[in-house]
Each structure stands twice: as C-alpha cells, then as structure tokens.
PDB file of all heavy atoms in Angstrom:
ATOM      1  N   ILE A   4     -30.971  13.193   1.310  1.00 83.00           N
ATOM      2  CA  ILE A   4     -31.151  12.170   0.273  1.00 83.00           C
ATOM      3  C   ILE A   4     -29.876  11.351   0.081  1.00 83.00           C
ATOM      4  O   ILE A   4     -29.900  10.241  -0.455  1.00 83.00           O
ATOM      5  CB  ILE A   4     -31.578  12.829  -1.061  1.00 83.00           C
ATOM      6  CG1 ILE A   4     -32.136  11.778  -2.009  1.00 83.00           C
ATOM      7  CG2 ILE A   4     -30.412  13.578  -1.701  1.00 83.00           C
ATOM      8  CD1 ILE A   4     -32.686  12.351  -3.312  1.00 83.00           C
ATOM      9  N   ASN A   5     -28.746  11.889   0.547  1.00 83.00           N
ATOM     10  CA  ASN A   5     -27.484  11.156   0.443  1.00 83.00           C
ATOM     11  C   ASN A   5     -27.422   9.950   1.374  1.00 83.00           C
ATOM     12  O   ASN A   5     -26.650   9.007   1.119  1.00 83.00           O
ATOM     13  CB  ASN A   5     -26.310  12.084   0.787  1.00 83.00           C
ATOM     14  CG  ASN A   5     -26.114  13.178  -0.233  1.00 83.00           C
ATOM     15  OD1 ASN A   5     -25.869  12.918  -1.396  1.00 83.00           O
ATOM     16  ND2 ASN A   5     -26.215  14.427   0.211  1.00 83.00           N
ATOM     17  N   LEU A   6     -28.199   9.970   2.468  1.00 87.00           N
ATOM     18  CA  LEU A   6     -28.067   8.925   3.483  1.00 87.00           C
ATOM     19  C   LEU A   6     -28.356   7.514   2.969  1.00 87.00           C
ATOM     20  O   LEU A   6     -27.530   6.613   3.143  1.00 87.00           O
ATOM     21  CB  LEU A   6     -28.943   9.253   4.686  1.00 87.00           C
ATOM     22  CG  LEU A   6     -28.468  10.422   5.557  1.00 87.00           C
ATOM     23  CD1 LEU A   6     -29.442  10.655   6.702  1.00 87.00           C
ATOM     24  CD2 LEU A   6     -27.069  10.138   6.106  1.00 87.00           C
ATOM     25  N   PRO A   7     -29.518   7.259   2.354  1.00 85.00           N
ATOM     26  CA  PRO A   7     -29.770   5.875   1.909  1.00 85.00           C
ATOM     27  C   PRO A   7     -28.762   5.398   0.875  1.00 85.00           C
ATOM     28  O   PRO A   7     -28.309   4.250   0.923  1.00 85.00           O
ATOM     29  CB  PRO A   7     -31.193   5.938   1.331  1.00 85.00           C
ATOM     30  CG  PRO A   7     -31.463   7.384   1.075  1.00 85.00           C
ATOM     31  CD  PRO A   7     -30.683   8.132   2.094  1.00 85.00           C
ATOM     32  N   LEU A   8     -28.379   6.258  -0.058  1.00 82.00           N
ATOM     33  CA  LEU A   8     -27.406   5.864  -1.079  1.00 82.00           C
ATOM     34  C   LEU A   8     -26.041   5.603  -0.448  1.00 82.00           C
ATOM     35  O   LEU A   8     -25.368   4.617  -0.771  1.00 82.00           O
ATOM     36  CB  LEU A   8     -27.291   6.956  -2.149  1.00 82.00           C
ATOM     37  CG  LEU A   8     -28.505   7.170  -3.042  1.00 82.00           C
ATOM     38  CD1 LEU A   8     -28.284   8.373  -3.953  1.00 82.00           C
ATOM     39  CD2 LEU A   8     -28.790   5.926  -3.876  1.00 82.00           C
ATOM     40  N   GLY A   9     -25.629   6.488   0.460  1.00 84.00           N
ATOM     41  CA  GLY A   9     -24.330   6.330   1.108  1.00 84.00           C
ATOM     42  C   GLY A   9     -24.255   5.087   1.967  1.00 84.00           C
ATOM     43  O   GLY A   9     -23.248   4.361   1.962  1.00 84.00           O
ATOM     44  N   LEU A  10     -25.304   4.816   2.732  1.00 87.00           N
ATOM     45  CA  LEU A  10     -25.328   3.620   3.583  1.00 87.00           C
ATOM     46  C   LEU A  10     -25.330   2.353   2.741  1.00 87.00           C
ATOM     47  O   LEU A  10     -24.694   1.348   3.100  1.00 87.00           O
ATOM     48  CB  LEU A  10     -26.549   3.660   4.504  1.00 87.00           C
ATOM     49  CG  LEU A  10     -26.530   4.773   5.564  1.00 87.00           C
ATOM     50  CD1 LEU A  10     -27.854   4.804   6.334  1.00 87.00           C
ATOM     51  CD2 LEU A  10     -25.355   4.566   6.535  1.00 87.00           C
ATOM     52  N   LEU A  11     -26.044   2.375   1.603  1.00 83.00           N
ATOM     53  CA  LEU A  11     -26.037   1.222   0.698  1.00 83.00           C
ATOM     54  C   LEU A  11     -24.631   0.981   0.160  1.00 83.00           C
ATOM     55  O   LEU A  11     -24.158  -0.168   0.133  1.00 83.00           O
ATOM     56  CB  LEU A  11     -27.015   1.469  -0.450  1.00 83.00           C
ATOM     57  CG  LEU A  11     -27.028   0.410  -1.558  1.00 83.00           C
ATOM     58  CD1 LEU A  11     -27.472  -0.938  -1.010  1.00 83.00           C
ATOM     59  CD2 LEU A  11     -27.933   0.847  -2.712  1.00 83.00           C
ATOM     60  N   ALA A  12     -23.960   2.045  -0.259  1.00 81.00           N
ATOM     61  CA  ALA A  12     -22.598   1.900  -0.772  1.00 81.00           C
ATOM     62  C   ALA A  12     -21.656   1.362   0.312  1.00 81.00           C
ATOM     63  O   ALA A  12     -20.814   0.499   0.046  1.00 81.00           O
ATOM     64  CB  ALA A  12     -22.087   3.247  -1.299  1.00 81.00           C
ATOM     65  N   LEU A  13     -21.807   1.862   1.540  1.00 83.00           N
ATOM     66  CA  LEU A  13     -20.986   1.371   2.646  1.00 83.00           C
ATOM     67  C   LEU A  13     -21.176  -0.124   2.866  1.00 83.00           C
ATOM     68  O   LEU A  13     -20.203  -0.863   3.060  1.00 83.00           O
ATOM     69  CB  LEU A  13     -21.343   2.128   3.933  1.00 83.00           C
ATOM     70  CG  LEU A  13     -20.561   3.389   4.276  1.00 83.00           C
ATOM     71  CD1 LEU A  13     -21.091   3.996   5.564  1.00 83.00           C
ATOM     72  CD2 LEU A  13     -19.066   3.086   4.409  1.00 83.00           C
ATOM     73  N   ALA A  14     -22.422  -0.566   2.841  1.00 83.00           N
ATOM     74  CA  ALA A  14     -22.718  -1.977   3.084  1.00 83.00           C
ATOM     75  C   ALA A  14     -22.108  -2.855   1.996  1.00 83.00           C
ATOM     76  O   ALA A  14     -21.499  -3.894   2.288  1.00 83.00           O
ATOM     77  CB  ALA A  14     -24.232  -2.186   3.162  1.00 83.00           C
ATOM     78  N   VAL A  15     -22.271  -2.454   0.739  1.00 80.00           N
ATOM     79  CA  VAL A  15     -21.750  -3.270  -0.365  1.00 80.00           C
ATOM     80  C   VAL A  15     -20.226  -3.325  -0.321  1.00 80.00           C
ATOM     81  O   VAL A  15     -19.617  -4.383  -0.506  1.00 80.00           O
ATOM     82  CB  VAL A  15     -22.245  -2.706  -1.714  1.00 80.00           C
ATOM     83  CG1 VAL A  15     -21.560  -3.435  -2.866  1.00 80.00           C
ATOM     84  CG2 VAL A  15     -23.755  -2.836  -1.828  1.00 80.00           C
ATOM     85  N   ILE A  16     -19.593  -2.188  -0.083  1.00 79.00           N
ATOM     86  CA  ILE A  16     -18.132  -2.142  -0.031  1.00 79.00           C
ATOM     87  C   ILE A  16     -17.609  -3.000   1.125  1.00 79.00           C
ATOM     88  O   ILE A  16     -16.595  -3.698   0.999  1.00 79.00           O
ATOM     89  CB  ILE A  16     -17.652  -0.684   0.101  1.00 79.00           C
ATOM     90  CG1 ILE A  16     -17.902   0.054  -1.217  1.00 79.00           C
ATOM     91  CG2 ILE A  16     -16.171  -0.621   0.477  1.00 79.00           C
ATOM     92  CD1 ILE A  16     -17.711   1.542  -1.130  1.00 79.00           C
ATOM     93  N   ALA A  17     -18.297  -2.958   2.265  1.00 80.00           N
ATOM     94  CA  ALA A  17     -17.876  -3.758   3.418  1.00 80.00           C
ATOM     95  C   ALA A  17     -17.894  -5.247   3.106  1.00 80.00           C
ATOM     96  O   ALA A  17     -17.035  -6.011   3.566  1.00 80.00           O
ATOM     97  CB  ALA A  17     -18.779  -3.458   4.615  1.00 80.00           C
ATOM     98  N   VAL A  18     -18.857  -5.692   2.289  1.00 77.00           N
ATOM     99  CA  VAL A  18     -19.014  -7.116   2.005  1.00 77.00           C
ATOM    100  C   VAL A  18     -18.179  -7.542   0.798  1.00 77.00           C
ATOM    101  O   VAL A  18     -17.508  -8.585   0.830  1.00 77.00           O
ATOM    102  CB  VAL A  18     -20.504  -7.441   1.752  1.00 77.00           C
ATOM    103  CG1 VAL A  18     -20.663  -8.888   1.282  1.00 77.00           C
ATOM    104  CG2 VAL A  18     -21.317  -7.201   3.014  1.00 77.00           C
ATOM    105  N   ALA A  19     -18.197  -6.751  -0.272  1.00 71.00           N
ATOM    106  CA  ALA A  19     -17.653  -7.215  -1.553  1.00 71.00           C
ATOM    107  C   ALA A  19     -16.206  -6.820  -1.810  1.00 71.00           C
ATOM    108  O   ALA A  19     -15.505  -7.510  -2.551  1.00 71.00           O
ATOM    109  CB  ALA A  19     -18.533  -6.683  -2.696  1.00 71.00           C
ATOM    110  N   LEU A  20     -15.745  -5.719  -1.238  1.00 72.00           N
ATOM    111  CA  LEU A  20     -14.383  -5.259  -1.528  1.00 72.00           C
ATOM    112  C   LEU A  20     -13.407  -5.839  -0.507  1.00 72.00           C
ATOM    113  O   LEU A  20     -13.581  -5.647   0.705  1.00 72.00           O
ATOM    114  CB  LEU A  20     -14.324  -3.726  -1.507  1.00 72.00           C
ATOM    115  CG  LEU A  20     -12.999  -3.082  -1.931  1.00 72.00           C
ATOM    116  CD1 LEU A  20     -12.652  -3.476  -3.361  1.00 72.00           C
ATOM    117  CD2 LEU A  20     -13.069  -1.567  -1.801  1.00 72.00           C
ATOM    118  N   LYS A  21     -12.399  -6.539  -0.985  1.00 71.00           N
ATOM    119  CA  LYS A  21     -11.442  -7.197  -0.098  1.00 71.00           C
ATOM    120  C   LYS A  21     -10.435  -6.178   0.443  1.00 71.00           C
ATOM    121  O   LYS A  21      -9.931  -5.335  -0.300  1.00 71.00           O
ATOM    122  CB  LYS A  21     -10.688  -8.296  -0.837  1.00 71.00           C
ATOM    123  CG  LYS A  21     -11.600  -9.362  -1.434  1.00 71.00           C
ATOM    124  CD  LYS A  21     -12.450 -10.028  -0.371  1.00 71.00           C
ATOM    125  CE  LYS A  21     -13.350 -11.101  -0.986  1.00 71.00           C
ATOM    126  NZ  LYS A  21     -14.277 -11.669   0.012  1.00 71.00           N
ATOM    127  N   PRO A  22     -10.107  -6.252   1.736  1.00 66.00           N
ATOM    128  CA  PRO A  22      -9.107  -5.333   2.301  1.00 66.00           C
ATOM    129  C   PRO A  22      -7.706  -5.760   1.922  1.00 66.00           C
ATOM    130  O   PRO A  22      -7.486  -6.864   1.423  1.00 66.00           O
ATOM    131  CB  PRO A  22      -9.332  -5.462   3.808  1.00 66.00           C
ATOM    132  CG  PRO A  22      -9.823  -6.858   3.978  1.00 66.00           C
ATOM    133  CD  PRO A  22     -10.645  -7.169   2.748  1.00 66.00           C
ATOM    134  N   ARG A  23      -6.748  -4.878   2.187  1.00 56.00           N
ATOM    135  CA  ARG A  23      -5.343  -5.213   1.965  1.00 56.00           C
ATOM    136  C   ARG A  23      -4.952  -6.371   2.881  1.00 56.00           C
ATOM    137  O   ARG A  23      -5.305  -6.398   4.053  1.00 56.00           O
ATOM    138  CB  ARG A  23      -4.476  -3.990   2.245  1.00 56.00           C
ATOM    139  CG  ARG A  23      -3.006  -4.267   2.313  1.00 56.00           C
ATOM    140  CD  ARG A  23      -2.185  -3.005   2.278  1.00 56.00           C
ATOM    141  NE  ARG A  23      -2.214  -2.393   0.965  1.00 56.00           N
ATOM    142  CZ  ARG A  23      -1.479  -1.345   0.631  1.00 56.00           C
ATOM    143  NH1 ARG A  23      -0.679  -0.789   1.510  1.00 56.00           N
ATOM    144  NH2 ARG A  23      -1.550  -0.844  -0.578  1.00 56.00           N
ATOM    145  N   GLY A  24      -4.226  -7.326   2.330  1.00 48.00           N
ATOM    146  CA  GLY A  24      -3.944  -8.549   3.069  1.00 48.00           C
ATOM    147  C   GLY A  24      -2.788  -8.456   4.042  1.00 48.00           C
ATOM    148  O   GLY A  24      -2.661  -9.293   4.918  1.00 48.00           O
ATOM    149  N   ILE A  25      -1.886  -7.460   3.888  1.00 51.00           N
ATOM    150  CA  ILE A  25      -0.729  -7.377   4.770  1.00 51.00           C
ATOM    151  C   ILE A  25      -0.632  -5.979   5.353  1.00 51.00           C
ATOM    152  O   ILE A  25      -1.224  -5.038   4.857  1.00 51.00           O
ATOM    153  CB  ILE A  25       0.576  -7.711   4.018  1.00 51.00           C
ATOM    154  CG1 ILE A  25       0.791  -6.702   2.878  1.00 51.00           C
ATOM    155  CG2 ILE A  25       0.557  -9.126   3.485  1.00 51.00           C
ATOM    156  CD1 ILE A  25       2.129  -6.850   2.183  1.00 51.00           C
ATOM    157  N   ARG A  26       0.110  -5.864   6.434  1.00 50.00           N
ATOM    158  CA  ARG A  26       0.324  -4.576   7.086  1.00 50.00           C
ATOM    159  C   ARG A  26       1.782  -4.166   6.887  1.00 50.00           C
ATOM    160  O   ARG A  26       2.692  -4.956   7.104  1.00 50.00           O
ATOM    161  CB  ARG A  26       0.018  -4.663   8.582  1.00 50.00           C
ATOM    162  CG  ARG A  26      -1.424  -5.073   8.894  1.00 50.00           C
ATOM    163  CD  ARG A  26      -2.403  -3.999   8.501  1.00 50.00           C
ATOM    164  NE  ARG A  26      -3.771  -4.402   8.776  1.00 50.00           N
ATOM    165  CZ  ARG A  26      -4.839  -3.718   8.403  1.00 50.00           C
ATOM    166  NH1 ARG A  26      -4.689  -2.591   7.720  1.00 50.00           N
ATOM    167  NH2 ARG A  26      -6.048  -4.146   8.688  1.00 50.00           N
ATOM    168  N   VAL A  27       1.991  -2.947   6.469  1.00 52.00           N
ATOM    169  CA  VAL A  27       3.340  -2.441   6.246  1.00 52.00           C
ATOM    170  C   VAL A  27       3.469  -1.102   6.955  1.00 52.00           C
ATOM    171  O   VAL A  27       2.565  -0.268   6.922  1.00 52.00           O
ATOM    172  CB  VAL A  27       3.619  -2.257   4.725  1.00 52.00           C
ATOM    173  CG1 VAL A  27       5.041  -1.736   4.519  1.00 52.00           C
ATOM    174  CG2 VAL A  27       3.413  -3.565   3.989  1.00 52.00           C
ATOM    175  N   LYS A  28       4.595  -0.895   7.619  1.00 56.00           N
ATOM    176  CA  LYS A  28       4.839   0.372   8.282  1.00 56.00           C
ATOM    177  C   LYS A  28       5.242   1.417   7.242  1.00 56.00           C
ATOM    178  O   LYS A  28       6.094   1.159   6.397  1.00 56.00           O
ATOM    179  CB  LYS A  28       5.943   0.219   9.335  1.00 56.00           C
ATOM    180  CG  LYS A  28       6.159   1.473  10.165  1.00 56.00           C
ATOM    181  CD  LYS A  28       7.198   1.250  11.249  1.00 56.00           C
ATOM    182  CE  LYS A  28       7.382   2.511  12.085  1.00 56.00           C
ATOM    183  NZ  LYS A  28       8.392   2.308  13.154  1.00 56.00           N
ATOM    184  N   HIS A  29       4.633   2.586   7.319  1.00 59.00           N
ATOM    185  CA  HIS A  29       4.859   3.622   6.323  1.00 59.00           C
ATOM    186  C   HIS A  29       5.399   4.894   6.968  1.00 59.00           C
ATOM    187  O   HIS A  29       5.165   5.162   8.141  1.00 59.00           O
ATOM    188  CB  HIS A  29       3.554   3.962   5.588  1.00 59.00           C
ATOM    189  CG  HIS A  29       2.945   2.795   4.893  1.00 59.00           C
ATOM    190  ND1 HIS A  29       3.426   2.289   3.715  1.00 59.00           N
ATOM    191  CD2 HIS A  29       1.870   2.030   5.219  1.00 59.00           C
ATOM    192  CE1 HIS A  29       2.682   1.257   3.331  1.00 59.00           C
ATOM    193  NE2 HIS A  29       1.735   1.079   4.231  1.00 59.00           N
ATOM    194  N   ALA A  30       6.110   5.666   6.160  1.00 63.00           N
ATOM    195  CA  ALA A  30       6.583   6.987   6.579  1.00 63.00           C
ATOM    196  C   ALA A  30       5.638   8.041   6.008  1.00 63.00           C
ATOM    197  O   ALA A  30       5.611   8.263   4.796  1.00 63.00           O
ATOM    198  CB  ALA A  30       8.007   7.224   6.075  1.00 63.00           C
ATOM    199  N   ILE A  31       4.804   8.643   6.854  1.00 69.00           N
ATOM    200  CA  ILE A  31       3.815   9.611   6.393  1.00 69.00           C
ATOM    201  C   ILE A  31       4.487  10.947   6.096  1.00 69.00           C
ATOM    202  O   ILE A  31       5.259  11.464   6.893  1.00 69.00           O
ATOM    203  CB  ILE A  31       2.706   9.810   7.452  1.00 69.00           C
ATOM    204  CG1 ILE A  31       2.082   8.466   7.810  1.00 69.00           C
ATOM    205  CG2 ILE A  31       1.646  10.763   6.927  1.00 69.00           C
ATOM    206  CD1 ILE A  31       1.426   7.759   6.667  1.00 69.00           C
ATOM    207  N   ASP A  32       4.164  11.504   4.950  1.00 72.00           N
ATOM    208  CA  ASP A  32       4.747  12.775   4.517  1.00 72.00           C
ATOM    209  C   ASP A  32       3.891  13.936   5.043  1.00 72.00           C
ATOM    210  O   ASP A  32       3.178  14.599   4.283  1.00 72.00           O
ATOM    211  CB  ASP A  32       4.834  12.793   2.986  1.00 72.00           C
ATOM    212  CG  ASP A  32       5.438  14.078   2.447  1.00 72.00           C
ATOM    213  OD1 ASP A  32       6.127  14.777   3.212  1.00 72.00           O
ATOM    214  OD2 ASP A  32       5.205  14.383   1.261  1.00 72.00           O
ATOM    215  N   TYR A  33       3.967  14.177   6.347  1.00 78.00           N
ATOM    216  CA  TYR A  33       3.154  15.235   6.952  1.00 78.00           C
ATOM    217  C   TYR A  33       3.482  16.622   6.397  1.00 78.00           C
ATOM    218  O   TYR A  33       2.563  17.403   6.107  1.00 78.00           O
ATOM    219  CB  TYR A  33       3.317  15.216   8.477  1.00 78.00           C
ATOM    220  CG  TYR A  33       2.732  13.996   9.136  1.00 78.00           C
ATOM    221  CD1 TYR A  33       3.552  13.017   9.695  1.00 78.00           C
ATOM    222  CD2 TYR A  33       1.354  13.808   9.190  1.00 78.00           C
ATOM    223  CE1 TYR A  33       3.026  11.888  10.304  1.00 78.00           C
ATOM    224  CE2 TYR A  33       0.809  12.675   9.793  1.00 78.00           C
ATOM    225  CZ  TYR A  33       1.656  11.727  10.346  1.00 78.00           C
ATOM    226  OH  TYR A  33       1.120  10.590  10.933  1.00 78.00           O
ATOM    227  N   PRO A  34       4.771  16.995   6.226  1.00 84.00           N
ATOM    228  CA  PRO A  34       5.053  18.309   5.632  1.00 84.00           C
ATOM    229  C   PRO A  34       4.441  18.464   4.240  1.00 84.00           C
ATOM    230  O   PRO A  34       3.924  19.532   3.891  1.00 84.00           O
ATOM    231  CB  PRO A  34       6.590  18.352   5.581  1.00 84.00           C
ATOM    232  CG  PRO A  34       7.031  17.412   6.648  1.00 84.00           C
ATOM    233  CD  PRO A  34       6.013  16.317   6.650  1.00 84.00           C
ATOM    234  N   GLY A  35       4.480  17.391   3.456  1.00 80.00           N
ATOM    235  CA  GLY A  35       3.881  17.452   2.122  1.00 80.00           C
ATOM    236  C   GLY A  35       2.385  17.677   2.183  1.00 80.00           C
ATOM    237  O   GLY A  35       1.819  18.468   1.416  1.00 80.00           O
ATOM    238  N   PHE A  36       1.697  16.972   3.095  1.00 78.00           N
ATOM    239  CA  PHE A  36       0.256  17.165   3.272  1.00 78.00           C
ATOM    240  C   PHE A  36      -0.067  18.626   3.594  1.00 78.00           C
ATOM    241  O   PHE A  36      -0.960  19.232   3.001  1.00 78.00           O
ATOM    242  CB  PHE A  36      -0.266  16.268   4.412  1.00 78.00           C
ATOM    243  CG  PHE A  36      -0.350  14.811   4.062  1.00 78.00           C
ATOM    244  CD1 PHE A  36      -0.264  13.845   5.050  1.00 78.00           C
ATOM    245  CD2 PHE A  36      -0.503  14.406   2.752  1.00 78.00           C
ATOM    246  CE1 PHE A  36      -0.341  12.494   4.740  1.00 78.00           C
ATOM    247  CE2 PHE A  36      -0.573  13.053   2.425  1.00 78.00           C
ATOM    248  CZ  PHE A  36      -0.487  12.097   3.419  1.00 78.00           C
ATOM    249  N   VAL A  37       0.677  19.186   4.563  1.00 82.00           N
ATOM    250  CA  VAL A  37       0.397  20.546   5.020  1.00 82.00           C
ATOM    251  C   VAL A  37       0.672  21.561   3.918  1.00 82.00           C
ATOM    252  O   VAL A  37      -0.151  22.463   3.651  1.00 82.00           O
ATOM    253  CB  VAL A  37       1.239  20.873   6.269  1.00 82.00           C
ATOM    254  CG1 VAL A  37       1.091  22.347   6.644  1.00 82.00           C
ATOM    255  CG2 VAL A  37       0.813  19.993   7.446  1.00 82.00           C
ATOM    256  N   LEU A  38       1.808  21.439   3.241  1.00 85.00           N
ATOM    257  CA  LEU A  38       2.175  22.413   2.215  1.00 85.00           C
ATOM    258  C   LEU A  38       1.233  22.351   1.019  1.00 85.00           C
ATOM    259  O   LEU A  38       0.814  23.389   0.488  1.00 85.00           O
ATOM    260  CB  LEU A  38       3.616  22.171   1.760  1.00 85.00           C
ATOM    261  CG  LEU A  38       4.700  22.489   2.790  1.00 85.00           C
ATOM    262  CD1 LEU A  38       6.060  21.975   2.322  1.00 85.00           C
ATOM    263  CD2 LEU A  38       4.764  23.992   3.055  1.00 85.00           C
ATOM    264  N   LEU A  39       0.880  21.142   0.585  1.00 80.00           N
ATOM    265  CA  LEU A  39      -0.028  21.009  -0.551  1.00 80.00           C
ATOM    266  C   LEU A  39      -1.413  21.536  -0.200  1.00 80.00           C
ATOM    267  O   LEU A  39      -2.044  22.246  -0.990  1.00 80.00           O
ATOM    268  CB  LEU A  39      -0.119  19.547  -0.994  1.00 80.00           C
ATOM    269  CG  LEU A  39      -1.024  19.267  -2.197  1.00 80.00           C
ATOM    270  CD1 LEU A  39      -0.529  20.023  -3.431  1.00 80.00           C
ATOM    271  CD2 LEU A  39      -1.089  17.772  -2.489  1.00 80.00           C
ATOM    272  N   SER A  40      -1.891  21.224   1.001  1.00 79.00           N
ATOM    273  CA  SER A  40      -3.207  21.712   1.426  1.00 79.00           C
ATOM    274  C   SER A  40      -3.229  23.236   1.493  1.00 79.00           C
ATOM    275  O   SER A  40      -4.176  23.879   1.018  1.00 79.00           O
ATOM    276  CB  SER A  40      -3.567  21.125   2.801  1.00 79.00           C
ATOM    277  OG  SER A  40      -3.639  19.721   2.748  1.00 79.00           O
TER     278      SER A  40
END
C-alpha cells in the first residue's frame, strides 16, 4: 500500500521542490557516521 503514496510523493517532489543551486565540496565525517551508528 506504500507504493502508490510513495510514487505520488516522489513525483510531486521532483516537480515542485527546487534543488540546491550550487555545488560545494564537502568533508564527510565518516568516523562520526560509523561511531554514532
């Protein structure tokens, strides 16, 4: 039952929600991800 609702949400978000306008290089905190998880 999640499929129709999820696909509808995907479609609306793809059309209506604007993406980030610029690209920035980031330093990913991999140790933090692993330790917190």
Side-chain angles (χ1 to χ4, degrees):
I4 196 175
N5 293 300
L6 289 179
L8 292 174
L10 293 174
L11 174 63
L13 269 179
V15 173
I16 289 169
V18 173
L20 186 60
K21 302 302 180 186
R23 169 167 289 186
I25 61 173
R26 300 292 179 188
V27 180
K28 186 177 181 180
H29 301 284
I31 305 299
D32 180 20
Y33 292 109
F36 287 154
V37 173
L38 291 170
L39 181 61
S40 299

